[in-house]
C-alpha cells in the first residue's frame, strides 16, 4: 500500500489545514444547545488529549478503551489514542458489568474514556480498580478527570505522528452472539484500505451529510461514518437520544444514511400506522399522486435528501427492500464482518438484485468452498484475534482466506447471495438439514412481524417463533384484530411452505409474549438475534406446541 496521505491520521492532518474553518461535527448537548466542531477545533482538542495521554508515560502501544454512545468526543478520543502511539479498544455502551470486565482485562486496558451512557451504574462494577478513567462533557456524574479540563491545561501535540501501516490500530471485540467476544486486531492499513475502497466505490464526496447513531463500537458504523468522514471530509451530525431522533434527522438532512434491518422495518411499520398498507399501495398506483406520496413519505422519515441508504449487519427482508426501492430510495445492502472491517461486498447503484448482498469491493477476492462456505481475502482482512492464536488459525485457510461461516452462491455478474450460516443449520429428526435464514426472510415480509426465529433441531419439521411489532402487540387485546391477524399468519405459513422444500416446511408459528431485546440478552448490541438464547428460552414449550397440532399458537 502506498501510504502517502492514505492512513487515518494522515487524513486528519490533511483536513486540519485544508478545511480548518469548516464544520466537521455537530453535537447536540441537551435542550437547544448544539456545538459545532470545525476541523481546526476537532484536531486541536485531539492533539491536546494526546499530550495528556503521553504524559501518563504508558508503555508504547498500550490499550485504551472507549465506552460511550456516539458523540463527537468518541471520535476525538480515537484520534488522540493513535496520536499518542496507543491502541483503541471500543466497548459497546450497552454491555453488562461482567462483559465490561472481560474486555478490559483481556485487552489489558490501562485507561478508559467513560462517555455518554444511559446505564453507567450497572456497568461501572466491571471496571478493574487499576484502570484510569476519563470523562466527556456528556458523561454521567463521576469524579474522573474531565475532557474539557484536560484540553484546557495541556498544550497540543505539535508533531504529526506517522503510523506504520502494519501496526495494530484498534482491537474490536465482536458482539458475541455465542460465547465470549473475540478481539479482532485491525491495523492502520486495514482501516485505510477499507476506507479508500468504500468511499471510492460509492463516489462519496466532501459535500455529504451523515447522522451517526448506530454504535461506533461496531465496525459497520466506524467504517462508513468515522473513517468515511475522515477520508472524504464530510459533515457528521450526532443523534441526541431515541426521543429526539426525528429532530436529529431533520437537523442533519443526511445525504447518506445507514440502518440495520430492524430500523428499516420499524420505519415501514410507522408509515403503515399512519396509512394502511392497502390504501398506500392504491395511492402509489395513481400516476399523478405517485410522486407526491413517495416524496411525502421520505420527507416524513427525514430521508428526502438521501442519495444512498445502506442496510447491513443482518439480512433485510426482500419485500421491505423492494418497498423502499419502490419509493425511490436507493437502498443498498452490504456484507462484511468485524474480521475484515465490514469491507467485503456492496450492492452497486443500478446493479441490485433482490436477495443478493452485492459485488466484491475493490481488492476483495472471494470464493465458495466445496462445503459452500463464502471465503474472502483482501488487504482489509484482520491481523488475527488478540491473544488467541488457535482461534486465528481456525479462522483462516492455509492460503490466507477468511472463513466467514456463511454459506453462499455467486451469480454470473459476481453478486453474492447468502443462503445461511453453516453453524446455524440444524438437522431435523428425519436427518434433513434446514438453513433458517432464507425462511426467516420470507416470514419477515409480514408487516406485523418484527423479529422471527426458525428452529426445530431434532423435531420432524421446523417451526418458527415470532415477535410482533409494538403496534401489533397493543392491538392483540382486540379479539377481532387477533382473529384477523391469526388468519393472515395462516395464509403466510401456507405461502412460505409452498415456496420451500418439503423438509423445510414449518409445522407451526408460535407468537411469543416476550420482547427480545439487548437488555434481556436475546439480542446482541447490534440487534442480531442470539439464536441459542432464543431457542433455549422456549425449548421446554416446543414439545407441547408440536402436540397441539395448531398452525398458529399464542404463547
Amino acid at each position: 500500500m502506498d501510504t502517502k496521505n492514505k492512513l487515518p491520521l494522515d487524513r486528519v492532518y490533511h483536513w486540519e489545514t485544508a478545511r480548518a474553518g469548516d464544520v466537521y461535527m455537530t453535537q447536540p448537548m441537551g435542550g437547544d444547545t448544539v456545538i459545532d466542531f470545525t476541523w481546526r477545533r476537532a484536531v486541536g482538542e485531539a492533539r491536546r488529549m494526546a499530550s495528556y495521554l503521553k504524559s501518563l508515560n504508558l508503555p508504547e502501544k498500550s490499550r485504551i478503551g472507549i465506552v460511550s454512545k456516539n458523540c463527537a468526543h468518541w471520535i476525538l478520543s480515537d484520534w488522540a489514542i493513535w496520536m499518542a502511539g496507543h491502541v483503541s479498544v471500543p466497548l459497546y455502551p450497552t454491555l453488562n458489568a461482567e462483559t465490561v470486565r472481560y474486555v478490559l482485562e483481556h485487552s489489558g486496558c490501562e485507561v478508559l474514556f467513560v462517555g455518554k451512557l444511559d446505564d453507567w451504574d450497572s456497568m461501572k462494577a466491571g471496571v478493574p480498580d487499576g484502570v484510569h478513567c476519563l470523562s466527556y462533557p456528556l458523561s454521567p456524574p463521576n469524579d474522573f478527570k474531565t475532557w474539557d479540563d484536560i484540553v484546557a491545561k495541556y498544550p497540543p501535540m505539535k508533531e504529526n505522528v506517522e503510523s506504520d501501516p502494519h501496526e495494530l490500530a484498534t482491537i474490536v471485540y465482536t458482539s458475541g452472539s455465542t460465547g465470549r467476544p473475540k478481539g479482532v486486531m485491525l491495523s492502520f492499513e486495514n482501516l485505510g484500505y477499507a476506507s479508500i475502497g468504500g468511499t471510492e466505490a460509492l463516489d462519496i464526496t466532501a459535500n455529504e451529510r451523515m447522522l451517526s447513531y448506530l454504535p461506533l463500537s461496531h465496525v459497520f458504523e466506524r467504517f462508513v461514518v468515522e473513517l468515511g468522514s475522515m477520508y472524504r471530509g464530510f459533515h457528521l451530525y450526532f443523534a441526541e437520544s431515541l426521543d429526539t431522533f426525528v429532530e436529529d434527522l431533520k437537523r442533519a438532512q443526511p445525504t447518506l444514511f445507514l440502518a440495520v434491518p430492524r430500523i428499516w422495518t420499524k420505519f415501514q411499520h410507522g408509515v403503515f400506522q399512519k396509512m394502511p398498507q392497502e390504501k398506500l399501495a392504491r395511492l402509489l398506483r395513481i400516476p399523478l399522486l405517485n410522486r407526491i406520496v413517495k416524496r411525502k413519505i421520505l420527507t416524513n422519515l427525514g430521508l428526502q435528501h438521501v442519495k444512498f441508504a445502506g442496510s447491513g449487519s443482518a439480512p433485510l427482508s426482500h419485500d421491505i427492500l423492494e418497498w423502499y426501492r419502490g419509493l425511490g430510495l436507493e437502498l443498498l445492502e452490504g456484507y462484511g464482518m468485524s474480521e475484515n472491517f465490514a469491507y467485503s461486498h456492496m450492492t452497486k447503484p443500478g446493479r441490485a438484485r433482490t436477495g443478493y448482498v452485492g459485488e466484491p469491493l475493490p481488492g476483495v477476492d472471494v470464493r465458495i468452498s466445496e462445503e459452500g462456505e463464502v471465503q474472502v481475502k483482501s488487504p482489509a482482512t484482520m491481523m488475527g484475534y488478540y491473544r488467541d492464536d488457535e482461534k486465528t488459525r481456525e479462522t483462516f485457510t492455509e492460503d490466507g482466506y477468511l472463513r466467514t461461516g456463511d454459506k453462499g452462491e455467486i451469480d454470473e455478474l459476481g453478486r453474492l447471495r447468502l443462503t445461511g450460516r453453516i453453524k446455524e443449520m440444524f438437522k431435523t429428526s428425519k436427518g434433513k438439514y434446514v438453513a433458517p435464514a432464507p425462511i426467516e426472510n420470507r416470514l419477515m415480509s409480514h408487516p406485523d412481524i418484527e423479529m422471527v426465529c426458525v428452529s426445530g433441531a431434532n423435531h420432524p419439521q421446523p417451526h418458527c417463533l415470532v415477535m410482533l411489532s409494538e403496534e401489533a402487540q397493543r392491538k392483540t387485546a382486540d379479539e377481532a384484530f387477533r382473529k384477523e391477524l391469526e388468519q393472515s399468519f395462516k395464509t403466510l405459513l401456507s405461502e412460505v411452505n409452498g415456496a420451500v422444500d418439503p423438509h423445510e416446511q414449518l409445522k407451526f408459528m408460535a407468537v411469543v409474549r416476550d420482547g427480545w431485546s439487548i437488555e434481556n440478552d436475546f439480542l446482541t448490541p447490534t440487534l442480531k438475534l442470539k439464536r441459542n438464547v432464543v431457542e433455549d428460552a422456549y425449548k421446554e414449550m416446543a414439545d407441547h406446541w408440536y402436540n397441539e397440532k395448531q398452525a398458529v399458537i399464542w404463547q
Side-chain angles (χ1 to χ4, degrees), residues 157-272:
M157 181 182 282
K158 288 189 169 60
E159 66 271 23
N160 290 354
V161 176
E162 291 189 8
S163 310
D164 179 334
H166 304 296
E167 270 187 335
L168 177 61
T170 188
I171 304 173
V172 177
Y173 279 82
T174 58
S175 52
S177 56
T178 56
R180 289 287 197 186
K182 302 183 291 291
V184 174
M185 297 189 293
L186 296 166
S187 69
F188 287 106
E189 180 183 17
N190 294 151
L191 305 187
Y193 192 91
S195 305
I196 293 168
T199 53
E200 287 182 352
L202 285 178
D203 193 24
I204 291 173
T205 72
N207 298 320
E208 315 300 349
R209 299 181 299 275
M210 285 199 83
L211 178 69
S212 178
Y213 69 100
L214 296 173
L216 275 165
S217 42
H218 188 265
V219 290
F220 185 42
E221 181 87 352
R222 203 165 172 206
F223 163 36
V224 180
V225 176
E226 182 191 9
L227 273 295
S229 67
M230 286 163 61
Y231 273 76
R232 291 301 188 185
F234 59 75
H235 193 158
L236 277 191
Y237 293 78
F238 291 92
E240 182 175 352
S241 69
L242 201 57
D243 294 336
T244 64
F245 188 76
V246 173
E247 289 77 18
D248 295 328
L249 254 181
K250 287 177 179 174
R251 179 190 295 121
Q253 298 185 54
T255 60
L256 307 171
F257 184 75
L258 290 183
V260 293
R262 195 174 181 195
I263 290 171
W264 290 117
T265 304
K266 278 182 173 289
F267 278 0
Q268 188 195 49
H269 286 169
V271 172
F272 291 160

Side-chain angles (χ1 to χ4, degrees), residues 192-449:
Y193 192 91
S195 305
I196 293 168
T199 53
E200 287 182 352
L202 285 178
D203 193 24
I204 291 173
T205 72
N207 298 320
E208 315 300 349
R209 299 181 299 275
M210 285 199 83
L211 178 69
S212 178
Y213 69 100
L214 296 173
L216 275 165
S217 42
H218 188 265
V219 290
F220 185 42
E221 181 87 352
R222 203 165 172 206
F223 163 36
V224 180
V225 176
E226 182 191 9
L227 273 295
S229 67
M230 286 163 61
Y231 273 76
R232 291 301 188 185
F234 59 75
H235 193 158
L236 277 191
Y237 293 78
F238 291 92
E240 182 175 352
S241 69
L242 201 57
D243 294 336
T244 64
F245 188 76
V246 173
E247 289 77 18
D248 295 328
L249 254 181
K250 287 177 179 174
R251 179 190 295 121
Q253 298 185 54
T255 60
L256 307 171
F257 184 75
L258 290 183
V260 293
R262 195 174 181 195
I263 290 171
W264 290 117
T265 304
K266 278 182 173 289
F267 278 0
Q268 188 195 49
H269 286 169
V271 172
F272 291 160
Q273 281 175 35
K274 293 179 180 176
M275 184 179 293
Q277 189 174 358
E278 298 77 15
K279 182 180 178 182
L280 178 58
R282 282 199 306 274
L283 291 176
L284 290 174
R285 286 195 291 269
I286 301 172
L288 291 175
L289 283 177
N290 179 292
R291 187 175 296 178
I292 296 169
V293 172
K294 288 178 180 179
R295 187 75 183 169
K296 186 174 182 181
I297 291 171
L298 292 177
T299 300
N300 286 342
L301 291 173
L303 305 178
Q304 70 273 29
H305 299 293
V306 171
K307 64 179 190 181
F308 297 132
S311 180
S313 187
L316 183 62
S317 160
H318 305 160
D319 289 353
I320 294 176
L321 195 61
E322 290 301 311
W323 184 80
Y324 279 105
R325 287 176 180 161
L327 293 178
L329 187 70
E330 185 77 71
L331 182 50
L332 308 176
E333 284 198 283
Y335 168 66
M337 307 166 62
S338 299
E339 286 81 352
N340 52 27
F341 199 53
Y343 186 80
S344 180
H345 286 68
M346 189 180 292
T347 307
K348 291 186 179 177
R351 291 170 63 90
R353 181 179 177 186
T354 302
Y356 287 71
V357 293
E359 301 166 53
L361 284 158
V364 174
D365 187 16
V366 60
R367 70 187 185 192
I368 307 294
S369 74
E370 289 183 6
E371 296 77 28
E373 182 183 38
V374 180
Q375 298 179 348
V376 293
K377 180 162 65 170
S378 81
T381 304
M382 69 171 181
M383 303 165 72
Y385 294 116
Y386 189 61
R387 294 173 57 190
D388 199 339
D389 292 341
E390 183 181 347
K391 183 61 73 175
T392 300
R393 282 192 297 272
E394 289 174 10
T395 306
F396 285 97
T397 64
E398 288 185 6
D399 53 351
Y401 281 78
L402 183 67
R403 302 180 193 271
T404 66
D406 289 308
K407 288 177 72 70
E409 28 188 75
I410 298 170
D411 75 1
E412 68 283 356
L413 293 182
R415 294 172 296 200
L416 175 66
R417 176 173 175 259
L418 300 176
T419 57
R421 291 283 296 169
I422 287 176
K423 290 181 181 176
E424 284 179 357
M425 291 183 73
F426 59 86
K427 189 190 284 188
T428 66
S429 60
K430 296 176 181 176
K432 298 282 192 178
Y433 281 98
V434 175
I439 306 171
E440 290 165 352
N441 260 340
R442 293 179 184 276
L443 293 162
M444 282 296 294
S445 64
H446 195 290
D448 292 312
I449 292 177

Side-chain angles (χ1 to χ4, degrees), residues 62-129:
S62 287
R63 275 73 61 209
I64 296 180
I66 306 171
V67 58
S68 175
K69 294 168 72 174
N70 296 18
C71 60
H73 294 87
W74 199 110
I75 290 177
L76 301 184
S77 300
D78 213 14
W79 296 357
I81 292 165
W82 291 337
M83 288 175 181
H86 301 308
V87 177
S88 60
V89 181
L91 286 83
Y92 284 97
T94 51
L95 296 179
N96 59 36
E98 181 186 355
T99 310
V100 168
R101 180 172 295 276
Y102 174 79
V103 171
L104 294 178
E105 289 182 344
H106 186 268
S107 62
C109 272
E110 305 265 2
V111 179
L112 177 66
F113 286 97
V114 177
K116 183 182 177 185
L117 295 165
D118 292 332
D119 197 12
W120 171 237
D121 286 342
S122 71
M123 303 174 82
K124 61 186 179 184
V127 180
D129 291 340

